[in-house]
Structures are given as structure tokens and as C-alpha cells.
Amino acid sequence: MQPNPQLAKTGSTAIDTSIDEYLRQRLMPVEGAIPQLAGIEMYGDSIPAEKAGGDLFEYINFQQRYNIDARIARAQALSSAYLEPLPEGARPRNGVDVHVLWLQSRPGYISGDGAEYRRAKSSEQLRIAENLHELYAMAGVLLVDAQGHGILAAKIASTVHDTFHTAMLGELDSNGETTPDLFERINLRLAQSVTARNALGRDTDESSRELATMVYGEIHSGGLFRFVNFGHPPPLVFSAEYGRFMKIENECMTHFPALGLEVPEDHPDRSKYVSIDRRPTRLDFSDLEEITLMGKGDIIFLYTDGVYDGSDEQAMHEIEGIIERYKRESAKQICNAIMEYAVRNDDYLRQIGEPDRIDDKTVFIIKRC
């Protein structure tokens, strides 16, 4: 029996449409996820060049997404449990018991070694509980710009999104906060493996890779913004007092290549990945950058290159002028005004016959209020 071409065609279109719509919906946060921080207001928006796009932004609302109280209670309970000796002949109750039993099996074991290890692991859980408590006064923001646009770019952005949230669960369990290890996991996830290269016949050229830039930052209620940047246009800081973007020496800021392009030399799986460049060591806390919103009305402007590529002086001054006009308005109104400017630029590109230059657009505003 021959398949009906019309039904096959209709079915294929339906499947393609549902995938586009699915990726678009899962990569777009809702306003109900916007964190409510004392003294801080934030808002973002994104418009894909096609039905689905490679831009992704997300509010990391720690209080809404995670049960912080329950996590703190668990860390405190583990702190107490880790101090309890394992009864003779009993099976291990946790990883600390397992390690103490291993210590006892080693030559030269001293009776106090197990107790010392238990105290150290107990203290570690108390630190995790303190770190978790800090989440009440902070929120995160994730911006991703995958190469290209359309469904393939959306798939790359989705990969970063899923890896980020999976790694974040581990970070909160192990540390009670985000650490540079989270970013190394995302970076490695987009790196090209030797196995994939050999199986697919790919070379080491960038065109064969899944590329994405990313900036992730955490804003504290006091105005401190701590972030890491992988190949993304740098954040801009607008001073409400002076009515302009403040000059930041980008050359002095730590700025890594796009995700997956640079695998650290000291990573144990380094030989299993094809890297454009080699970083001597893995990321540490010194690689995280900080910006502080000093005055009322000061703004951090985050964006993707569909809005501003980080180098066009005229575009920067135009956006600067928009923020100056709307600086007393809400973060949402400022975001919408900049997005309207970006859409007008798209209309101009269509008029001059260059629609191929239209890209996905994302704007994210953090305002001290």
C-alpha cells in the first residue's frame, strides 16, 4: 500500500510546526517568573527572526524555582547526621559512612581520623546552609545566543538551557550556590567530542560546531552583579545621574570564547574533545567579573547582537538616548522601548533588500530602584 503523499506532507508540516512552537515556548519565560528583589527591578524580552530562534533569556528566580527552606533544613540535618558514628556491623547510611569505612580499611588508620573527617563534612553542610540562605537576596539571569536562527539554533539554545538547569541542581546540592564548575560543565557540553567528529566526518573548523555565546549573572539586592561571559557582547552600565553609559575597560574583563571552543588543558577528558584553543586551567572564582549599580536608577543593559553587536558607536548612542528618555520608567518600559528600536531597524533592512541580516533579538534590563 502506497502512502498518501498529501497526508505525508500534511503530517510533516504539523510535526515541524509543533517542534518550532515547542522550542519557542520552552525557551520563553513568563512574567510570573520575574524575581522580586528589594531595590532591584528586572525585565527581559526576546523576538526570534523566525518562528523559533537561537536567543534564550531566563530569570533564575531562586525562591520560586527551589524550596530554599527545605534545602537549608536538609543541609542542617546532614550536618548532624554526619557526626554520628556508624554502629558496629551496620550498613552505611550515607557517603560519609562509606568514606570512614574506607579510611578504617587503610594501613595506618588512627581512631581519630574518622571523627575528624566527620567534623569536616558536618561543617561543610553548615556552609552550604549559609550559602543557600543568601539566595533569598539574589536572582540570576541567563542569556544565550546560538549561532544562526531557526529550529537548529533553538535546539542549541535548548541544550544550553537543559544543561544549565541540570548542573544548577548539583551546584545547590553540593555547594548551596553556583560555582565556576557549573560553567565548565556547560562549556564541555557544547564542545566537539573526538567520537562525534570521527563518526560524522567533521573537521575542526568552527562551521562544523554547535556554537553559542552565553552570559550568566547574579544580581544581589544591594546592586552587585557578578557574572561570567562566554563570547557574548559585554554588559553596558547606564548611569542615571550622568545620563549615559559608563566607560568600562573591556580589555581588563575576563572574557572567554564562545561555549565549546576552548577546553581547559587540565580537564581529565581533555584528549576526548576537539578544541580550537587551550586554556591552561579550569575556571575559578577569580574569573567571575563584578559590576555594582551604585545609584538609584542605574541600569545594566544585557542584549544579543540582533539588537546591538557591541561595536557600533552610532547604535550605542541611539540606545543610550532611548534609556535616557525612559530612565524614570519601569524596567519593562525601558526594555520595550529598546526592542521597538530594534524592530524598526529590521524594517529598514527589509526596505533596503537585506532581510538576511535580520537576527534574533533579546533585551534584558536590570534597574536599581
Side-chain angles (χ1 to χ4, degrees), residues 20-65:
D20 283 352
E21 191 61 30
Y22 167 75
L23 289 171
R24 173 167 169 74
Q25 289 179 0
R26 81 186 304 263
L27 298 178
M28 285 293 292
V30 296
E31 287 195 37
I34 300 177
Q36 302 299 312
L37 286 183
I40 298 294
E41 189 181 357
M42 59 179 66
Y43 188 82
D45 194 13
S46 186
I47 300 176
E50 299 180 11
K51 189 165 186 179
D55 277 12
L56 155 71
F57 84 92
E58 185 158 11
Y59 309 100
I60 310 302
N61 187 334
F62 292 107
Q63 297 183 49
Q64 183 186 78
R65 183 176 287 272

Side-chain angles (χ1 to χ4, degrees), residues 49-354:
E50 299 180 11
K51 189 165 186 179
D55 277 12
L56 155 71
F57 84 92
E58 185 158 11
Y59 309 100
I60 310 302
N61 187 334
F62 292 107
Q63 297 183 49
Q64 183 186 78
R65 183 176 287 272
Y66 308 103
N67 190 330
I68 300 176
D69 282 344
R71 284 180 169 273
I72 291 173
R74 182 179 67 174
Q76 292 171 337
L78 286 174
S79 178
S80 298
Y82 287 168
L83 291 173
E84 298 176 7
L86 182 66
E88 187 71 27
R91 298 181 65 179
R93 302 157 299 185
N94 49 56
V96 172
D97 287 346
V98 171
H99 189 73
V100 170
L101 288 174
W102 177 82
L103 285 174
Q104 292 172 349
S105 71
R106 308 301 296 167
Y109 173 77
I110 301 174
S111 60
D113 291 349
E116 182 178 351
Y117 179 75
R118 288 185 179 280
R119 286 193 295 271
K121 297 303 288 185
S122 172
S123 176
E124 182 179 68
Q125 289 299 315
L126 293 178
R127 176 183 60 81
I128 290 173
E130 289 185 3
N131 289 342
L132 287 167
H133 193 270
E134 290 295 315
L135 299 182
Y136 282 114
M138 58 189 286
V141 54
L142 174 68
L143 259 74
V144 177
D145 184 359
Q147 185 181 50
H149 40 77
I151 193 169
L152 293 179
K155 182 270 174 188
I156 297 171
S158 180
T159 297
V160 177
H161 172 274
D162 293 349
T163 305
F164 173 89
H165 284 293
T166 301
M168 179 65 82
L169 290 172
E171 287 289 285
L172 297 185
D173 287 343
S174 302
N175 304 296
E177 63 177 351
T178 55
T179 72
D181 285 344
L182 180 147
F183 312 119
E184 286 288 15
R185 291 188 181 100
I186 299 172
N187 182 56
L188 197 67
R189 180 64 184 84
L190 257 66
Q192 187 182 82
S193 72
V194 172
T195 302
R197 183 199 63 181
N198 293 341
L200 299 175
R202 292 177 173 177
D203 56 29
T204 59
D205 188 82
E206 289 187 19
S207 63
S208 68
R209 294 173 175 268
E210 293 186 334
L211 295 180
T213 66
M214 181 191 80
V215 59
Y216 172 74
E218 292 173 347
I219 183 73
H220 293 250
S221 57
L224 175 66
F225 183 64
R226 200 174 195 196
F227 67 98
V228 64
N229 190 334
F230 284 87
H232 204 82
L236 293 177
V237 180
F238 180 87
S239 168
E241 179 182 359
Y242 296 105
R244 59 181 173 83
F245 288 126
M246 303 306 293
K247 184 173 179 57
I248 299 176
E249 297 298 336
N250 292 327
E251 296 79 8
C252 300
M253 300 184 73
T254 304
H255 193 269
F256 299 101
L259 291 168
L261 289 183
E262 187 180 66
V263 179
E265 189 65 42
D266 63 350
H267 194 283
D269 295 331
R270 174 67 187 83
S271 63
K272 303 300 182 181
Y273 289 88
V274 180
S275 181
I276 296 297
D277 203 356
R278 298 188 177 190
R279 181 162 19 101
T281 60
R282 302 179 73 176
L283 274 67
D284 59 35
F285 282 101
S286 67
D287 294 316
L288 306 183
E289 292 294 339
E290 295 181 353
I291 293 174
T292 301
L293 295 177
M294 301 296 292
K296 179 180 178 181
D298 287 354
I299 291 166
I300 294 176
F301 169 49
L302 302 170
Y303 52 94
T304 57
D305 56 13
V307 175
Y308 169 55
D309 65 6
S311 62
D312 188 327
E313 288 289 329
Q314 180 180 346
M316 185 187 72
H317 290 309
E318 290 175 356
I319 294 171
E320 187 177 64
I322 293 170
I323 297 178
E324 168 63 15
R325 289 196 299 275
Y326 286 86
K327 66 182 180 182
R328 292 179 178 82
E329 307 299 333
S330 67
K332 181 176 182 178
Q333 288 172 295
I334 296 169
C335 174
N336 289 342
I338 298 174
M339 192 63 83
E340 288 170 5
Y341 156 81
V343 170
R344 288 195 300 271
N345 285 344
D346 286 355
D347 292 339
Y348 172 73
L349 291 175
R350 293 187 185 94
Q351 290 173 9
I352 63 174
E354 298 183 8

